[in-house]
Amino acid sequence: MAGTAALAGALLAALLALAAPAWTPVHRAGYCAFYGDCGLNPEVNVSLLPSNVPCVSNTPARRASPLLLALLRSACPELVRGANTTLVCCSLAQLGALQLSLALSGAVLARCPSCARNFANLHCNNICSPDQSLFINVTRVFNRTTTPETPRLAVLEYQSFYQREFADASFASCRGVRLPATGGYAIDTMCGRYGARLCTTQRWLDFQGDKSNGLAPLQIDFQLLPNGSQPGDGVQPLARSAWRCDEAPDAEAEPCSCQDCAESCPPVVPPSGPPPPFRLGNADGALVLCGLLFGLLALLFLTALLYRHCYRCHCHAKGSTTPQPPLPTPVPSGGCSAQLGDAVHRVLARAFQRWGTLVATHPVIVLAVAAVVAGGLSAGLVTLRLTTDPVELWSAPGSRARQEKAFHDQHFGPFYRTNQVIVTAPGWPNTTYDSVLFGAKNFSGVLAEEVLWALLELQEQLAAITAWAPTAGRWVTLEDVCYAPLNPEDPTLGDCCVNSVTQYFQNNGTHLAMTAPQSHGQQSGTVGWRDHLIYCINSPLSFKDITALELSCTARYGGPVFPYIAFGGYPDSEYTEAQALIITYSLNNFPAGDPRHEWVLSWESRFLQVVADFQRTHGHNLSVTFMAERSLEDEINRTTMEDIPIFTISYLVVFIYIALALGEYTAWSRVLVESKVTLALGGIAVVLGSVFASMGFLALLGLPSSLVILEVVPFLVLAVGADNIFIFVQEYQQSQRAPGETREQQIGRVLAQVAPSMLLCSLSEVICFLLGALSSMPAVRTFALTAATAIAFDFLLQASAFVALLALDTRRQEAGRLDFCCCCGVGKEGPGGAGVRLLRPLLHRYCTPVLLHRAVRPLVVLLFLFLACAGLYLTLQVPVGLDQEISMPEDSYLLPYFAALSQYLAVGVPTYFVTTGGYDFSSLNGTNGICSSAGCDSDSLTHTIQYATRFPNVSYLAIPATSWVDDFLDWLNPRHPLLPRPGNHSGEFCPSTSEDPSCVGRCLNTTRRPTVEEFERFLPIFLQDPPNLHCAKGGLGAYDTAVSMDANGTILATRFMAYQRPLHTSQQYTAALRAARALAQEITSTLRRVPDTDSDFTVFPYTVTYVYYEQYLTVVVEGVVTLALCLVPTFAVSFLLLGMDLRSSTATLLTSTMILLDTVGAMALWGVPYNAVSLINLVAAVGISVEFVSHLTCAFAHSTQPSRVARAAEATVNMGSKVVAGVAMTNLPGIVVLAFAKAQLIQIFFFRLNLIITLVGLAHGLLFLPVLLSYIGPGPRVPAGDVVVAGAGLTISNPSFKEKDKAKDMAMVPQKG
């Protein structure tokens, strides 16, 4: 260390020897190096303050006059020794100039008293120290002689020798000081081209001594010497003690706060992050548990199967010597519950039989009444309101996020609208620029001069936009709609807030093209736009760079352009290596009822057109992506309109299938007679009528609808309605008219056979959807109510209008008339014979015997148990959320923009922490509970947020909150004479720029917290005071919209703005909301402990995305509850209508639950996320699963076959074929067509998810349920009073089942239960 100090001393001695002639020959205590004012520096052209330089004066220090001593006590108290013993090397004019300079530089440091005092001491010692010559050596002067009698030399440059330890301590006390208005560091403005990230003690001081920084009147060469080094020639480096930032510089001051000084921070326990994944050893815990669950269920099933087999073998062995009795014949059932169920069934059957006979007898009247009722209700569609606003769709009006948004918008207005362009230059080569001032710097391809000129051209075109607003009948320009923070009342084009890289040149082509000769040390060259850019990205708040260009870094509208907003895709803050340039236009967001809302929409339309033209023009060498605030809704509406033909084709395919599949053809000659196209169209009209009637009915009640409902409900009701249509028609086709039975009586008898099953399903679905309407999500609630009403209307219309249509069609067919033209016929009358069938024989001869084989049934159960457990595991892997990319069509211009945003964006959206009324900001305790400067509470609002930004992976906050309270306190600071003054002789407030000589006094006479009266008096003035170079703490622009007050000056609400880190997925946005709410709750609890705080006072976080993502905080729990409630009627209605049959009802519930599990599991495999749209489809899936399950269960329960296996076989053949034809085959053609839709939302949530629901429901209803019923179904029974008819499939005998079918069934299906 000693060797190093000696080497440094020798080097500095050599430097001193070279500094000839010696303008400071005497280096002695009590001597000055310069003194007095020698006028302006001829080498400084642009400066915020007069660049007066001192005169060379290597003479003894002077005794301070009383006036100078008073000023010295204020500006440099450490140099005061006593009233008559204080010596100084500065005149009153010098000290006054020093005070003004310190006022400007120290304004950003005053919040940390130790730093402000250390910083002032550096310059106080340089200018006024009585021992100035010990550490100052003048190296360059110029002749300032005006009269020969008094020759004067003015100082142009001097050396200042500091002990490194002292300089480092001063710098360390200041490096953490924050700028509340930006969330950045004050050192950003005081280290020139290096910024806070690369700033060091030497670089910090070099910038203070750079005459081109706009404040320094001359050049200062700071020399930092190691401790103990002696430069020689009497020079002694200045060695003073500097206050640490966690020390108070005097008894009246406070240490710097935690936000400005890490050493002042209490120990902060890192917040706990998300819980680690559940694991058992090295394995996935959920996978292990689901595997164990499957093993347990399989073991229980196999054990029960083995026990049953052993029991039967034992019984068979005991009775082997006796003849085996024939298969048991069902006997009338007993038991109260069974008898009650049978009685209910008989009542329903008889009622439906009488009703069906009546309707078939008077079909025209019934159709007329049905048409009038359905048409009347459908007329309500004229009052239908379609909700397209995502907020209204997915966020309940009473939800917390909606209430917080309403509160924020009421007090601060809606968040401004963002219009953005992201430009990259793929394929452009990187370059290296050798700067005279900054050395070699790498520039990415997108930072080429041609690109900047192109962006400047684009912004000039956008600035010249005029858009026609038809309703307002006027042309709209940018200044009509732009966000102008510094001139909100009467903005001009230059006041509009536009952030871009070219704003470092004030969007001025002349500035961009400027060059100037530059010398730096021994190097000379030319500086241009690259040098200015390098400087500005490290010092964006500078009003003048240090290059010979002398350009400002602030934007044309007067605010700074922070590089993390204008650049994207840069490594480690190397902004010149950015891969993307970002242009952001901020527009006012007017409420929907405001006429200006149309203005901004019109301007945004023209913005999109202009940028699209720019994209086409420069697309060959630049990648241009863009969006406007209106883009998302525009694209959703566009794709909805473009996909209407897809939905039309989908419905048309379904209609064609139903029309063809309903017919039963016996001969080619009777095809036109036996076809059911007219009947099918009538059935479809019934389904659509029920949908329209339900929507019209609800519209009359004031319930809005949505596009999701229009797309899902018809599919759901079509599946339910088509199933009932197929069941009814095919049952009639298979039925034979009994001797003496009329056509109308036959229709009534068939309706009695199928209507109880139809009622069971419809009632289950209606109750299911009504329970689903308990959801808090408006879209889910509206869907559930619409679906419940539509299914209820569908059942009523099918039991009336469709029965009448079937009666008319039967008359036509029996009269031998053509389907399309009932006036023409083929001359053959009477009912036709049995037609050609495909599905039922396939199930009868092949599928059912294999499925119910003794060896296959256990395998089926094990397979579906495995699928259920796998579905349960996969359910836990389904991502929750809806990324906005999914809502866009595949050809949307927004998709490349979203990709670029995710790849290049370096900072997230602003997050406001909003305070409600009931907090006293003006009290001492209230102020200290909010602020973050010296003397503030360590757990204040801004401190707590600052702590959170240390852990961005947990808090999702990257930049601390801006604080109007802190800047207001600095604005009041009496140490800064350039700040506003309370008034002139007329009582008017004097801004900092006022030159009125009558403006005297200061807002506060001492550095202290304002009184309540002072707080309330000065706060409105602060909020309207425009910031400027003299007073950077003015609140206009930064804070005028951050405080909401009533007419009496009472604070109603305030907000503090922080920034999130970049977020890319729904999961991250949801986690950010959860973390922000937890942080706000912590702040609320702290501030409620402040005296006089209202118990209802609250702090809550707000950003524009919360209202969309709040649903994902509860959508999982709400979905589970909703689906569980939907499953309840599946069990309850089955239990009641099947005669309290616990086994059949349990089988129905179990199968429906397994359908849901496997559906959600398949969502994980096929990339379908879980969200509110998925929940709507899953609720619909419960309804469709009822169709797959309940009809077959009902058929099984009322079958009179002698064993469970035989009953399962009969139910599968008879009812399974109808369910396949009516539900699966109705849905599948229409679903497949949706695969060709442009909208990803439709492809994922309507094609994929509905296909999964249909296939999974079909597999469980046709494969698993029959096997399950063959094991646990109830035993055979015949309701008392009924006659056992061989082969009867339903409760009332059905002659269509021939003896040959019965024989085949008995021969091919095992008869043991």
Side-chain angles (χ1 to χ4, degrees):
M1 185 67 185
T4 303
L7 179 61
L11 179 61
L12 287 170
L15 290 174
L16 286 172
L18 291 174
W23 306 113
T24 314
V26 178
H27 296 284
R28 186 186 309 167
Y31 269 73
C32 303
F34 43 75
Y35 181 86
D37 189 340
C38 266
L40 296 175
N41 188 338
E43 296 182 351
V44 176
N45 298 321
V46 179
S47 180
L48 177 61
L49 298 176
S51 55
N52 291 51
V53 294
C55 303
V56 175
S57 179
N58 197 198
T59 57
R62 283 78 165 167
R63 178 171 288 118
S65 67
L67 187 59
L68 189 148
L69 185 62
L71 189 58
L72 192 68
R73 291 182 189 278
S74 172
C76 305
E78 279 70 33
L79 296 181
V80 176
R81 297 291 181 266
N84 298 315
T85 58
T86 299
L87 301 178
V88 293
C89 285
C90 59
S91 64
L92 184 61
Q94 281 182 283
L95 185 57
L98 172 64
Q99 187 181 36
L100 290 178
S101 179
L102 290 178
L104 288 179
S105 299
V108 296
L109 303 176
R111 55 186 282 110
C112 178
S114 305
C115 164
R117 190 72 66 84
N118 289 334
F119 180 81
N121 281 346
L122 294 175
H123 297 283
C124 286
N125 278 284
N126 276 7
I127 303 301
C128 292
S129 171
D131 302 324
Q132 187 186 67
S133 65
L134 282 177
F135 56 90
I136 297 294
N137 186 56
V138 177
T139 57
R140 200 159 59 90
V141 300
F142 74 100
N143 190 349
R144 201 61 165 181
T145 301
T146 55
T147 60
E149 295 80 15
T150 55
R152 292 195 304 172
L153 295 177
V155 179
L156 286 177
E157 185 174 351
Y158 65 85
Q159 293 173 321
S160 183
F161 296 90
Y162 287 175
Q163 190 180 84
R164 177 172 290 278
E165 184 178 0
F166 164 62
D168 285 345
S170 299
F171 173 70
S173 69
C174 293
R175 71 177 309 160
V177 178
R178 293 275 186 173
L179 286 177
T182 67
Y185 292 96
I187 212 75
D188 270 324
T189 68
M190 306 180 71
C191 210
R193 66 196 185 198
Y194 298 105
R197 188 174 63 91
L198 301 176
C199 197
T200 63
T201 304
Q202 185 68 62
R203 291 170 175 173
W204 181 55
L205 293 175
D206 286 346
F207 181 77
Q208 312 309 313
D210 190 340
K211 66 178 184 293
S212 63
N213 67 11
L215 289 174
L218 48 74
Q219 193 72 27
I220 306 174
D221 181 15
F222 286 96
Q223 300 287 335
L224 306 185
L225 305 181
N227 294 347
S229 61
Q230 296 295 328
D233 200 23
V235 174
Q236 297 179 17
L238 180 65
R240 297 281 189 270
S241 61
W243 287 278
R244 298 194 314 270
C245 61
D246 59 342
E247 292 179 332
D250 55 55
E252 297 180 357
E254 297 279 351
C256 302
S257 68
C258 171
Q259 190 166 30
D260 301 316
C261 174
E263 290 82 357
S264 295
C265 294
V268 178
V269 179
S272 57
F278 172 54
R279 304 192 71 81
L280 292 174
N282 294 326
D284 186 330
L287 180 61
V288 172
L289 291 181
C290 289
L292 292 175
L293 177 62
F294 169 69
L296 177 62
L297 293 176
L299 180 62
L300 291 175
F301 169 70
L302 293 175
T303 301
L305 201 62
L306 182 62
Y307 172 80
R308 181 180 180 184
H309 176 72
C310 293
Y311 177 79
R312 285 187 172 180
C313 290
H314 176 71
C315 294
H316 179 71
K318 288 180 62 177
S320 59
T321 57
T322 60
Q324 294 297 315
L327 290 172
T329 300
V331 297
S333 58
C336 293
S337 61
Q339 292 178 7
L340 177 62
D342 292 340
V344 170
H345 185 78
R346 285 196 304 274
V347 170
L348 288 175
R350 289 168 183 165
F352 280 120
Q353 184 169 11
R354 292 172 182 172
W355 170 255
T357 303
L358 177 65
V359 171
T361 305
H362 308 285
V364 177
I365 297 176
V366 172
L367 283 174
V369 173
V372 170
V373 173
L377 292 175
S378 299
L381 289 173
V382 298
T383 66
L384 180 67
R385 292 183 295 112
L386 277 181
T387 302
T388 58
D389 185 355
V391 175
E392 299 292 337
L393 280 175
W394 309 116
S395 181
S399 69
R400 177 177 170 181
R402 287 286 294 277
Q403 292 177 339
E404 291 170 350
K405 181 181 185 300
F407 182 91
H408 176 274
D409 292 353
Q410 174 189 353
H411 291 282
F412 309 110
F415 191 77
Y416 53 79
R417 302 172 70 92
T418 299
N419 296 259
Q420 203 164 63
V421 183
I422 301 177
V423 178
T424 59
W428 286 54
N430 297 339
T431 59
T432 300
Y433 175 66
D434 193 6
S435 172
V436 175
L437 292 173
F438 310 116
K441 294 289 291 184
N442 293 325
F443 275 69
S444 64
V446 76
L447 276 173
E449 186 171 359
E450 297 91 330
V451 177
L452 297 188
W453 280 107
L455 295 188
L456 189 58
E457 175 192 356
L458 171 62
Q459 291 171 85
E460 289 173 350
Q461 293 175 6
L462 293 173
I465 282 179
T466 56
W468 178 252
T471 303
R474 57 161 290 175
W475 292 96
V476 178
T477 60
L478 177 59
E479 52 264 40
D480 292 326
V481 296
C482 72
Y483 171 61
L486 297 179
N487 187 15
E489 298 301 327
D490 187 24
T492 64
L493 192 60
D495 296 320
C496 294
C497 180
V498 180
N499 285 289
S500 71
V501 63
T502 54
Q503 279 282 34
Y504 288 122
F505 306 90
Q506 297 74 51
N507 274 354
N508 188 317
T510 302
H511 291 178
L512 181 61
M514 283 179 63
T515 60
Q518 180 84 47
S519 297
H520 182 65
Q522 301 299 320
Q523 297 184 10
S524 297
T526 302
V527 292
W529 67 268
R530 290 181 179 86
D531 302 88
H532 178 70
L533 183 63
I534 294 171
Y535 179 84
C536 289
I537 57 180
N538 288 297
S539 188
L541 297 172
S542 296
F543 77 97
K544 185 174 77 73
D545 67 17
I546 63 173
T547 73
L549 300 174
E550 297 183 342
L551 294 175
S552 172
C553 291
T554 57
R556 183 183 177 187
Y557 72 90
V561 179
F562 295 108
Y564 51 77
I565 294 177
F567 296 89
Y570 46 82
D572 298 327
S573 299
E574 294 293 339
Y575 299 110
T576 60
E577 298 179 24
Q579 299 301 308
L581 302 180
I582 304 171
I583 304 173
T584 305
Y585 283 76
S586 299
L587 308 181
N588 289 316
N589 198 355
F590 305 105
D594 193 316
R596 294 171 296 177
H597 183 68
E598 183 200 17
W599 300 4
V600 73
L601 291 178
S602 300
W603 192 91
E604 286 179 350
S605 294
R606 283 290 297 137
F607 168 87
L608 294 173
Q609 294 170 11
V610 171
V611 180
D613 291 339
F614 178 82
Q615 182 188 52
R616 285 189 290 269
T617 303
H618 297 272
H620 63 282
N621 59 355
L622 295 177
S623 172
V624 181
T625 62
F626 56 94
M627 64 82 68
E629 188 76 19
R630 63 175 297 163
S631 294
L632 197 63
E633 189 171 348
D634 283 352
E635 286 296 277
I636 292 175
N637 292 338
R638 176 180 71 86
T639 188
T640 300
M641 297 304 296
E642 290 181 352
D643 283 330
I644 285 179
I646 296 294
F647 276 95
T648 303
I649 295 172
S650 175
Y651 287 127
L652 184 60
V653 169
V654 173
F655 296 164
I656 293 173
Y657 163 75
I658 295 176
L660 296 177
L662 273 183
E664 188 177 42
Y665 309 103
T666 58
W668 285 106
S669 60
R670 292 183 58 85
V671 167
L672 296 180
V673 176
E674 294 172 340
S675 69
K676 301 291 183 184
V677 174
T678 305
L679 180 63
L681 292 176
I684 292 168
V686 166
V687 172
L688 294 181
S690 64
V691 174
F692 293 149
S694 65
M695 295 179 66
F697 174 69
L698 294 176
L700 291 173
L701 297 180
L703 191 70
S705 189
S706 67
L707 293 174
V708 176
I709 293 174
L710 296 180
E711 292 162 349
V712 177
V713 170
F715 262 111
L716 172 64
V717 180
L718 192 60
V720 174
D723 189 23
N724 291 340
I725 289 172
F726 273 92
I727 291 173
F728 186 26
V729 172
Q730 290 188 1
E731 189 67 26
Y732 180 79
Q733 290 170 342
Q734 295 169 4
S735 171
Q736 289 185 349
R737 192 171 300 164
E741 188 179 39
T742 66
R743 177 176 56 249
E744 289 75 15
Q745 292 172 338
Q746 181 188 9
I747 291 175
R749 175 172 55 80
V750 172
L751 182 64
Q753 294 171 356
V754 299
S757 177
M758 292 165 56
L759 177 64
L760 169 64
C761 290
S762 298
L763 188 59
S764 298
E765 289 158 355
V766 169
I767 298 176
C768 160
F769 289 124
L770 288 177
L771 292 175
L774 298 176
S775 171
S776 63
M777 295 184 188
V780 177
R781 183 173 60 252
T782 305
F783 162 77
L785 287 174
T786 306
T789 310
I791 290 174
F793 283 157
D794 181 59
F795 174 78
L796 295 176
L797 288 176
Q798 285 183 331
S800 55
F802 188 75
V803 173
L805 287 171
L806 179 64
L808 293 175
D809 188 72
T810 304
R811 291 184 190 177
R812 175 200 60 78
Q813 183 175 348
E814 292 183 1
R817 295 174 183 172
L818 301 182
D819 188 16
F820 290 103
C821 184
C822 57
C823 298
C824 304
V826 295
K828 297 182 180 179
E829 300 182 0
V836 178
R837 303 188 188 110
L838 296 177
L839 190 57
R840 185 175 181 278
L842 180 65
L843 292 173
H844 175 76
R845 295 189 178 92
Y846 304 105
C847 298
T848 304
V850 173
L851 177 68
L852 297 177
H853 191 276
R854 184 188 301 273
V856 175
R857 285 190 296 156
L859 297 179
V860 172
V861 173
L862 291 176
L863 173 62
F864 278 86
L865 285 178
F866 172 79
L867 291 177
C869 294
L872 177 61
Y873 170 73
L874 291 172
T875 296
L876 303 176
Q877 316 306 315
V878 176
V880 178
L882 176 62
D883 295 335
Q884 53 189 352
E885 292 88 341
I886 295 178
S887 61
M888 295 294 99
E890 292 179 332
D891 61 347
S892 174
Y893 66 88
L894 286 180
L895 291 180
Y897 169 79
F898 290 144
L901 199 68
S902 176
Q903 182 176 356
Y904 299 121
L905 192 67
V907 68
V909 296
T911 297
Y912 295 101
F913 287 85
V914 181
T915 67
T916 62
Y919 186 84
D920 187 4
F921 289 87
S922 60
S923 69
L924 178 62
N925 290 325
T927 300
N928 290 339
I930 299 294
C931 63
S932 61
S933 54
C936 300
D937 296 341
S938 61
D939 58 354
S940 69
L941 179 146
T942 44
H943 273 146
T944 304
I945 297 173
Q946 191 264 339
Y947 298 151
T949 60
R950 297 185 184 181
F951 310 98
N953 290 334
V954 177
S955 70
Y956 293 89
L957 295 176
I959 298 177
T962 60
S963 171
W964 62 268
V965 175
D966 286 276
D967 276 340
F968 177 49
L969 296 178
D970 288 344
W971 185 80
L972 292 172
N973 194 329
R975 289 183 179 271
H976 305 142
L978 286 181
L979 293 179
R981 284 150 288 177
N984 56 19
H985 298 323
S986 302
E988 297 176 354
F989 188 81
C990 297
S992 60
T993 54
S994 175
E995 298 181 358
D996 185 350
S998 66
C999 289
V1000 294
R1002 297 172 182 174
C1003 295
L1004 302 181
N1005 293 323
T1006 59
T1007 302
R1008 59 175 173 81
R1009 295 285 190 263
T1011 64
V1012 173
E1013 187 275 332
E1014 291 167 340
F1015 192 101
E1016 294 176 350
R1017 175 189 174 193
F1018 292 124
L1019 178 59
I1021 302 173
F1022 160 74
L1023 296 175
Q1024 296 303 316
D1025 188 33
N1028 52 64
L1029 296 176
H1030 293 275
C1031 177
K1033 294 291 184 176
L1036 182 65
Y1039 301 121
D1040 58 306
T1041 59
V1043 182
S1044 174
M1045 295 184 290
D1046 63 14
N1048 298 323
T1050 303
I1051 295 178
L1052 303 176
T1054 69
R1055 64 180 183 181
F1056 301 82
M1057 183 180 71
Y1059 274 94
Q1060 292 178 348
R1061 68 180 180 89
L1063 306 176
H1064 303 130
T1065 65
S1066 297
Q1067 292 76 27
Q1068 290 178 342
Y1069 279 106
T1070 306
L1073 169 58
R1074 185 182 293 109
R1077 284 187 171 176
L1079 181 62
Q1081 180 58 46
E1082 178 185 348
I1083 296 171
T1084 300
S1085 300
T1086 301
L1087 295 185
R1088 282 180 178 175
R1089 294 195 293 268
V1090 174
D1092 301 324
T1093 300
D1094 194 288
S1095 59
D1096 293 329
F1097 167 77
T1098 303
V1099 178
F1100 65 85
Y1102 170 76
T1103 192
V1104 289
T1105 60
Y1106 286 171
V1107 73
Y1108 302 105
Y1109 291 101
E1110 183 191 39
Q1111 59 181 301
Y1112 301 124
L1113 296 177
T1114 58
V1115 70
V1116 173
V1117 174
E1118 183 162 340
V1120 171
V1121 172
T1122 300
L1123 294 174
L1125 288 175
C1126 287
L1127 288 171
V1128 169
T1130 304
F1131 174 82
V1133 176
S1134 298
F1135 182 69
L1136 293 175
L1137 294 187
L1138 294 179
M1140 300 184 182
D1141 183 348
L1142 182 61
R1143 292 189 176 190
S1144 297
S1145 303
T1146 302
T1148 300
L1149 178 63
L1150 179 61
T1151 307
S1152 297
T1153 304
M1154 292 174 67
I1155 290 174
L1156 270 183
L1157 276 179
D1158 288 350
T1159 297
V1160 180
M1163 287 169 56
L1165 295 177
W1166 208 355
V1168 180
Y1170 173 74
N1171 48 53
V1173 182
S1174 304
L1175 179 57
I1176 287 178
N1177 282 279
L1178 290 175
V1179 173
V1182 175
I1184 294 176
S1185 70
V1186 169
E1187 293 294 318
F1188 282 116
V1189 174
S1190 294
H1191 285 301
L1192 198 140
T1193 305
C1194 186
F1196 177 90
H1198 295 108
S1199 172
T1200 57
Q1201 291 293 332
S1203 68
R1204 292 189 180 94
V1205 175
R1207 296 168 70 205
E1210 183 184 71
T1212 304
V1213 171
N1214 294 331
M1215 190 58 69
S1217 62
K1218 300 180 181 66
V1219 169
V1220 172
V1223 182
M1225 296 308 298
T1226 301
N1227 279 2
L1228 286 176
I1231 291 173
V1232 170
V1233 174
L1234 296 181
F1236 300 97
K1238 288 185 177 181
Q1240 297 183 82
L1241 200 68
I1242 294 175
Q1243 293 179 12
I1244 293 174
F1245 296 104
F1246 295 97
F1247 166 63
R1248 295 185 191 177
L1249 191 48
N1250 280 290
L1251 185 61
I1252 291 171
I1253 292 169
T1254 303
L1255 294 180
V1256 170
L1258 178 63
H1260 282 76
L1262 204 61
L1263 301 179
F1264 175 71
L1265 182 60
V1267 174
L1268 180 65
L1269 290 172
S1270 73
Y1271 281 121
I1272 68 170
R1277 59 185 172 85
V1278 176
D1282 280 0
V1283 180
V1284 179
V1285 179
L1290 295 172
T1291 306
I1292 299 179
S1293 60
N1294 187 347
S1296 67
F1297 288 90
K1298 308 285 195 308
E1299 288 297 328
K1300 61 179 182 180
D1301 290 336
K1302 173 194 169 188
K1304 290 179 180 177
D1305 289 341
M1306 301 296 287
M1308 299 180 68
V1309 180
Q1311 297 300 306
K1312 292 185 178 180

